[in-house]
Amino acid sequence: MPQAKTSSSEDIAAFVAKARTMSPHAGARGRLVFALDATMSRQPTWDMACALQADMFREAASLGSLDIRLVYYRGFNECRASRWISDSSELARLMAKIDCRGGNTQIGKVLAEARREAAASGVRAVAFVGDAMEESVDDLCAKAGELGMLKVPVFMFQEGHDPTAEQAFREIARLSGGAWCRFDPGAGAQLRELLRAAAAYAAGGREALRRLSARESGAAKLLGQIK
């Protein structure tokens, strides 16, 4: 049997340095769960998100590739998820067919769907856009913690200033290792930056988000919070 070679301290240091630069998703397509509250009050923001979603794909294209799974809830106990989509025009067509309907929030179902996908096929991040929370915050925190254990950060983008939603959204972000950011009602430029930042992270990880943060404040806000 050949004698095993003992690694030198330089070999070990080089290996550790290389390992630190590698993404746990190396070689895989970036996958982002894009979740939206589609209850009646959300129609203006839904329309705005339809117009902005192509920016996520464009940002990711400079880094590699991105698949998006749209998840939304509305009406009475309705929560739906699309298949994985890799084309911005296809996602735009799908979103254009969906109208907002009155109902309560179903954030728990969104987080549960993200967890299933993370375990089944891999998810790099979740981006959620909403303005309210009408569920058990403890239940939501438990689901967020499970995503955190799977290394899937949740980026909670809050429209407006509802204090109950803010408290819950901040905790979901913290427990999952993600980030919470607020944008002003109807502020398309603010939401565009946040969605681009989420796409950058999903496609290229923390390093891609760091590079984007040099020119966009939305990315800087996320980078300052993620673990």
Side-chain angles (χ1 to χ4, degrees), residues 100-157:
C100 294
R101 299 175 184 175
N104 293 328
T105 66
Q106 300 176 61
I107 302 169
K109 292 182 180 179
V110 169
L111 299 179
E113 171 64 19
R115 189 195 183 289
R116 282 193 295 271
E117 282 299 321
S121 58
V123 173
R124 291 192 185 177
V126 178
F128 173 83
V129 182
D131 66 349
M133 194 289 294
E134 299 158 322
E135 301 161 65
S136 165
V137 68
D138 290 331
D139 289 346
L140 297 182
C141 287
K143 291 181 172 64
E146 291 176 350
L147 286 169
M149 293 179 68
L150 292 170
K151 306 298 183 184
V152 179
V154 183
F155 300 131
M156 300 295 292
F157 301 147

Side-chain angles (χ1 to χ4, degrees), residues 10 33 39 58 79 107 124 135 152 161 166 180 185 192 218:
E10 291 80 8
V33 172
T39 55
R58 280 194 288 268
C79 184
I107 302 169
R124 291 192 185 177
E135 301 161 65
V152 179
H161 297 266
E166 178 177 340
W180 166 88
R192 175 184 287 107

Side-chain angles (χ1 to χ4, degrees), residues 44-90:
T45 303
W46 183 275
D47 294 341
M48 186 166 61
C50 288
L52 299 177
Q53 56 82 23
D55 282 346
M56 292 190 288
F57 286 100
R58 280 194 288 268
E59 183 61 41
S62 65
L63 302 164
S65 57
L66 181 67
D67 293 332
I68 290 179
R69 186 178 180 89
L70 176 67
V71 181
Y72 66 93
Y73 57 80
R74 63 181 182 175
F76 177 70
N77 206 34
E78 180 183 359
C79 184
R80 298 182 182 274
S82 74
R83 62 182 180 82
W84 288 104
I85 298 170
S86 57
D87 177 72
S88 62
S89 59
E90 185 178 354

Side-chain angles (χ1 to χ4, degrees), residues 56 127 129 155-158 180-184 187-200 209 212 216-222:
M56 292 190 288
V129 182
F155 300 131
M156 300 295 292
F157 301 147
Q158 180 184 353
W180 166 88
C181 290
R182 188 199 314 278
F183 67 98
D184 297 324
Q190 291 177 341
L191 182 58
R192 175 184 287 107
E193 285 199 3
L194 294 174
L195 295 180
R196 281 167 58 88
L209 187 60
L212 184 61
E216 292 193 3
S217 61
K221 290 177 182 177
L222 266 62

Side-chain angles (χ1 to χ4, degrees), residues 36-51 74 95-102 131 159:
L36 296 114
D37 178 334
T39 55
M40 192 65 76
S41 65
R42 309 296 303 145
Q43 189 66 59
T45 303
W46 183 275
D47 294 341
M48 186 166 61
C50 288
R74 63 181 182 175
M95 294 181 70
K97 296 177 181 178
I98 301 169
D99 62 326
C100 294
R101 299 175 184 175
D131 66 349
E159 183 177 35

